[in-house]
Amino acid sequence: MRSEAAAGVDRAGYPDLHQHLQALEQAGLLIRVDRPINKDTEMHPLVRWQFRGGFSESERKAFLFTNVIDSKGRTYDIPVVVGALAASREIYRIGLGCELDEIASTWSRAAANPIPPRIVEVAPCHDIVTTGSDLDHEGAGLDGIPVPISTPGWDNAPYTTLSQYITKDPDTGVQNMGNYRGQIKGRRRMGMNPSLELRPGIYAHWLKYKARGERMPAAVVLGAPPVVTFTSTMKLPERLDEFHVAGALAGAPLNVVKAKTVDLLVPAEAEIVIEGYIDTEYLEPEAPFGESHGHVNLQEFNAFMEVTAITRRRNAVLTSIISQVTPSESSLIKRVAMEPLLLDHLRENLGLRCVKKVSLHEPLTNIRKVVLIHVEKNTPRVEIWRALYGLASQHRAIGKFVIAVDDDIDVDNADSILWALSYRCNPALDMEIMRHRDQGHGPRSERNDGEDASVLFDATLKEPFPPISLPKQEYMERAREIWDELGLPPLKPQTPWYGYSLGEWDSNLEAMAERAVASDYWTTGDIIAQQRRKDVEMNTEVRRVKD
């Protein structure tokens, strides 16, 4: 059925997305684009230019698209905003409601002092509710949500990129919220990739429901108060509930409301909520999709969700995030919170007061591979090594290169880091290799039985890799024409500024990508549905499965 909620919403003690966008506009950080923009070929390439066009971080803006179309000329009544959460630290700190130099302390306090949420009866996210057979009507299901294609020319469909998946542990009743991509496969079906190397809570829940022989209830939030989004992108200790930490970031209890068709709580001020059940018996192909490690993630078998309801605000705005090749909005939204949390681990949990700063290298490396530890001068050698091992051991997929430096080294300047390595490090004495490491987030190599190590690897290409996860050249060039048409600042292209194949890309993947940019991805969804199977594990690459 389709219904609209009554008035009488409980007021929140924190800004929702609409108030956040108003704040960005007042600060001169929001660009409104009212001309028609094709979500499948133009939107992400246009915003991508501010990350690949020689702009400094401080020059980046949020883009609000109010006239969204697709390649078939379809129009949408929901605007799309890109870059509104973390295109820059200034945008991020406005969403967090603190000063730039308070970001670290704000996160540290929130993690240490969680605030339980408040359950409300009436919520903006239930202004419009569509359930049951009404979802099958044209424009009433997932096809009515203007999800953009992130890397046109490579992606095989639109993917939600700033999508908070909410699930619940069937044994404890504790909810988990994490940010995962979601492939749009049909009006009532979307994919899900939890990236198992990052130890996602949703996968632990999925295994429990699978053991029970039950489908897993889930809710996917598309657009929420900034504190909710920020919290969902972090890998918090499992003892912490994301809603509790979001409330602590806001300084007030987060308003939550019961979902309409699944037994879950969702943010009351969410823009759009997709409810449904994730299958635990069958997996089906998902991807290709341009990923934040800088390559296209090829097809894997992953879970999918059958949609039971879509609820939304009357004036909903869809948020999409720029990911793929770093720096990006996706990397910055994680970096600004991960750095203080990693620092807290070293200083508070391990008692390493000699550590003054942790910095995650961002450009091209996607923040987890190269980590810098700033230590006080004259720190005992044993403490430096305890910090190095302590950092690399905190997560199984962080720290391929972990470097301790003195406080005169600019950890955000690669030249400064290379200078320290060249003249302050004797590899025979000052370097060690930690073996048996997880490969982490990136193209999966079969060398060494899939195991990685930390520090000093030959970085040249040894085998065919998936394409660079940037839009193909023709889409970036078209987007540049629109950029110039809008009178935006001159671009300074940085290599790479478009995607190209590195050898691992076949005609089937190319055909799916071509259908996607022609807005014919529903055909791909139908084809994928015929490839379901239940004899594979989640995240199994399609190319590794032989019929």
Side-chain angles (χ1 to χ4, degrees):
M1 69 174 185
R2 193 177 183 114
S3 65
E4 295 203 9
V9 178
D10 290 295
R11 301 290 294 180
Y14 46 85
D16 64 9
L17 180 65
H18 296 263
Q19 292 165 322
H20 174 60
L21 295 182
Q22 290 172 2
L24 295 184
E25 192 159 32
Q26 291 172 0
L29 295 171
L30 180 72
I31 295 174
R32 288 181 176 268
V33 181
D34 297 323
R35 59 149 284 176
I37 290 289
N38 188 326
K39 72 179 186 65
D40 294 334
T41 63
E42 297 174 337
M43 184 180 292
H44 268 236
L46 180 66
V47 183
R48 169 69 61 187
W49 268 119
Q50 68 178 347
F51 293 94
R52 304 309 306 166
F55 284 70
S56 65
E57 181 193 304
S58 62
E59 295 175 292
R60 299 178 199 155
K61 304 287 194 298
F63 285 69
L64 179 63
F65 299 96
T66 61
N67 190 351
V68 182
I69 63 172
D70 71 5
S71 294
K72 293 185 178 296
R74 285 182 288 238
T75 60
Y76 298 84
D77 64 352
I78 300 175
V80 180
V81 67
V82 186
L85 279 304
S88 70
R89 282 174 174 76
E90 179 65 13
I91 290 174
Y92 185 99
R93 75 98 193 153
I94 290 175
L96 200 58
C98 68
E99 297 302 319
L100 281 173
D101 60 1
E102 296 174 343
I103 291 176
S105 59
T106 299
W107 267 103
S108 297
R109 282 197 305 271
N113 302 283
I115 298 176
R118 177 176 63 149
I119 300 177
V120 300
E121 298 297 324
V122 180
C125 69
H126 290 159
D127 283 348
I128 301 173
V129 178
T130 307
T131 61
S133 60
D134 285 342
L135 291 165
D136 296 322
H137 298 159
E138 185 174 355
L142 296 177
D143 58 330
I145 304 174
V147 180
I149 291 179
S150 295
T151 37
W154 306 112
D155 295 356
N156 67 338
Y159 284 74
T160 60
T161 52
L162 199 62
S163 37
Q164 290 84 57
Y165 280 74
I166 299 172
T167 56
K168 181 165 62 176
D169 188 311
D171 296 331
T172 66
V174 175
Q175 290 194 172
N176 175 267
M177 178 175 64
N179 195 82
Y180 315 114
R181 72 179 189 233
Q183 180 182 353
I184 304 301
K185 296 182 172 183
R187 284 200 177 100
R188 298 180 65 170
R189 191 169 105 259
M190 67 186 296
M192 183 269 291
N193 185 337
S195 295
L196 301 190
E197 70 275 3
L198 301 180
R199 198 167 47 88
I202 193 172
Y203 182 59
H205 292 177
W206 186 85
L207 291 174
K208 289 187 176 183
Y209 281 100
K210 181 177 177 64
R212 291 172 171 232
E214 301 174 4
R215 297 180 302 164
M216 180 169 67
V220 183
V221 177
L222 304 180
V227 291
V228 174
T229 305
F230 293 154
T231 307
S232 75
T233 63
M234 295 307 302
K235 182 60 186 174
L236 296 169
E238 294 179 5
R239 61 183 171 78
L240 294 177
D241 184 304
E242 283 84 1
F243 282 170
H244 293 229
V245 176
L249 286 176
L254 183 72
N255 285 340
V256 295
V257 67
K258 291 182 179 180
K260 292 294 186 180
T261 60
V262 291
D263 185 21
L264 294 168
L265 295 172
V266 299
E269 293 84 25
E271 300 294 310
I272 302 168
V273 179
I274 303 167
E275 302 177 11
Y277 289 88
I278 294 176
D279 197 296
T280 58
E281 181 180 11
Y282 290 94
L283 302 175
E284 64 181 30
E286 184 259 0
F289 176 76
E291 264 290 3
S292 57
H293 48 62
H295 297 272
V296 171
N297 192 165
L298 299 182
Q299 284 191 300
E300 300 172 343
F301 280 95
N302 276 308
F304 60 93
M305 184 173 85
E306 297 290 350
V307 177
T308 55
I310 297 177
T311 75
R312 52 171 283 198
R313 297 177 69 137
R314 190 171 293 104
N315 58 344
V317 175
L318 175 66
T319 54
S320 182
I321 196 169
I322 288 286
S323 187
Q324 291 76 50
V325 170
T326 54
S328 68
E329 189 180 5
S330 175
S331 59
L332 193 144
I333 201 173
K334 297 181 183 75
R335 181 184 178 187
V336 293
M338 281 183 67
E339 288 177 342
L341 292 177
L342 289 169
L343 179 63
D344 269 4
H345 169 68
L346 296 178
R347 288 178 58 85
E348 305 303 327
N349 296 343
L350 299 185
L352 289 162
R353 297 290 174 173
C354 59
V355 178
K356 295 303 179 185
K357 181 179 180 181
V358 172
S359 180
L360 305 175
H361 185 263
E362 189 175 6
L364 296 181
T365 60
N366 189 25
I367 73 175
R368 295 180 181 88
K369 296 297 184 183
V370 182
V371 185
L372 289 302
I373 301 176
H374 230 158
V375 297
E376 290 181 340
K377 286 188 181 297
N378 302 318
T379 294
R381 185 182 183 192
V382 292
E383 291 295 272
I384 292 175
W385 281 102
R386 198 158 70 89
L388 290 168
Y389 280 113
L391 189 290
S393 301
Q394 186 170 5
H395 298 300
R396 74 180 192 180
I398 194 169
K400 189 165 187 173
F401 299 92
V402 186
I403 307 167
V405 295
D406 299 305
D407 56 13
D408 63 319
I409 298 297
D410 181 358
V411 293
D412 293 315
N413 185 319
D415 292 337
S416 185
I417 296 165
L418 290 172
W419 176 52
L421 286 171
S422 297
Y423 295 102
R424 303 185 188 186
C425 175
N426 182 337
L429 302 173
D430 304 323
M431 183 193 76
E432 293 198 17
I433 296 176
M434 291 179 64
R435 302 185 187 277
H436 311 300
R437 299 301 309 279
D438 190 279
Q439 289 187 54
H441 197 46
R444 298 178 187 175
S445 173
E446 296 180 349
R447 302 171 71 198
N448 196 32
D449 296 323
E451 283 193 1
D452 208 344
S454 290
V455 183
L456 293 186
F457 278 102
D458 183 347
T460 60
L461 191 65
K462 305 296 192 304
E463 55 195 7
F465 263 36
I468 300 298
S469 58
L470 289 168
K472 280 188 175 178
Q473 184 173 358
E474 60 262 38
Y475 302 108
M476 289 300 288
E477 288 176 341
R478 169 58 180 151
R480 185 172 187 175
E481 293 173 3
I482 300 172
W483 181 281
D484 293 337
E485 173 189 324
L486 293 171
L488 299 174
L491 292 168
K492 304 171 186 175
Q494 298 174 337
T495 302
W497 59 266
Y498 63 89
Y500 49 90
S501 175
L502 293 176
E504 193 168 7
W505 187 256
D506 62 29
S507 59
N508 178 52
L509 303 179
E510 179 69 15
M512 288 193 289
E514 289 177 355
R515 285 196 294 268
V517 295
S519 299
D520 283 329
Y521 34 83
W522 305 116
T523 301
T524 298
D526 292 337
I527 294 171
I528 284 174
Q530 301 304 311
Q531 299 173 341
R532 292 179 186 173
R533 56 197 304 158
K534 56 182 178 180
D535 60 340
V536 293
E537 299 295 328
M538 192 177 291
N539 277 186
T540 298
E541 292 187 1
V542 171
R543 63 176 179 158
R544 301 300 175 205
V545 178
K546 306 297 182 183
D547 291 324

